[in-house]
Amino acid sequence: MSIFKNKKSFEELPTHIAIIMDGNGRWAKKRSLPRTAGHAAGSKNFKEIARYANKIGLKYLTVYAFSTENWKRPKDEVDNIMNILRDYLKDAKNFKDENIRVKFIGDIDALDEDIRLLIDDAEKESENATGLKLNIALNYGGRDEIVHAVKKIVESGIPADMINEDTIGNNLYTAGMPDPDFIIRPSGEYRLSNYLIWQSAYAEYWFSDILWPDFRPKHLDMAIEDYLKRNRRYGGI
Ligand code: FPP
């Protein structure tokens, strides 16, 4: 049973959770299945967790779907992930019926034109949704995002002495969003892998051995329960 049955708990949710959806390949290997089966299971799970996050009243969820480094994978695997994304994007019902607002963050301009058009449609289709704000990081890298922001700032001609942390933040893909409060990484890896490196400066972290396709809503509950016990001091005492 969810721990979020009473209103008080809802009010205590972190505002923004970010998840690194890791472990699809190992999940498939354990079952002697191709890696593609792991990504299919990971995608199914992504939809379930997004729906659940919306149901419990989470405001922002950001998931890592494909990094700027993931192009190093075999072409078949990259094609498979992109096709999973195409299928998801074509199913506009995902956004409309659920009242979830979807946005993509990352270097989208470098993707195939058909995906860019589907992304555009999906973002427009859901722009008036009032529920969860779901960010999907695609062709995303934290360092790449900062380089991109610096280029925009230089091109805008802002004098160096006028540049502060807000200038950088306002030129990231996540401009206008609160920083993630809580970053979850399943699959037994203990690193950030170039994910939201600027935005996560004061985030709390939760790691677990569970592989992403096995990460259920009850695990999200457990993680949030853990988060609620923490004492965030932001450098103070
Ligand atoms: C990491 O697991 C997972 C990825 C690089 C791809 C994640 C993509 C999805 C879950 C599909 C997303 C779909 C939508 C619609 C957003 P891994 O392959 O690195 O696993 P391993 O570390 O066990 O090999």
Side-chain angles (χ1 to χ4, degrees), residues 149-220:
V150 170
K151 283 184 180 162
K152 269 175 46 186
I153 294 166
V154 170
E155 278 163 15
S156 74
I158 300 178
D161 61 356
M162 298 285 286
I163 296 174
N164 56 28
E165 292 188 6
D166 286 344
T167 324
I168 308 278
N170 292 337
N171 282 282
L172 297 174
Y173 299 125
T174 52
M177 297 178 203
D179 285 341
D181 303 288
F182 194 35
I183 298 191
I184 295 174
R185 181 168 196 159
S187 96
E189 311 286 359
Y190 299 85
R191 54 179 174 263
L192 206 44
S193 299
N194 204 11
Y195 192 41
L196 302 171
I197 52 175
W198 174 277
Q199 299 88 334
S200 63
Y202 285 100
E204 296 289 326
Y205 295 84
W206 198 80
F207 298 101
S208 149
D209 287 343
I210 302 156
L211 302 174
W212 173 249
D214 292 329
F215 187 93
R216 301 269 85 87
K218 70 175 182 199
H219 299 118
L220 187 62

Side-chain angles (χ1 to χ4, degrees), residues 9-57:
S9 297
F10 274 87
E11 280 162 8
E12 287 169 353
L13 280 173
T15 304
H16 187 171
I17 296 180
I19 303 182
I20 301 177
M21 304 186 290
D22 196 13
N24 296 345
R26 278 162 286 164
W27 182 92
K29 194 168 175 206
K30 264 172 64 182
R31 289 163 178 76
S32 306
L33 294 168
R35 290 177 63 81
T36 49
H39 294 313
S43 165
K44 186 165 170 271
N45 197 47
F46 149 73
K47 288 179 226 165
E48 183 181 350
I49 293 294
R51 219 171 273 137
Y52 181 69
N54 188 35
K55 190 174 126 195
I56 63 174

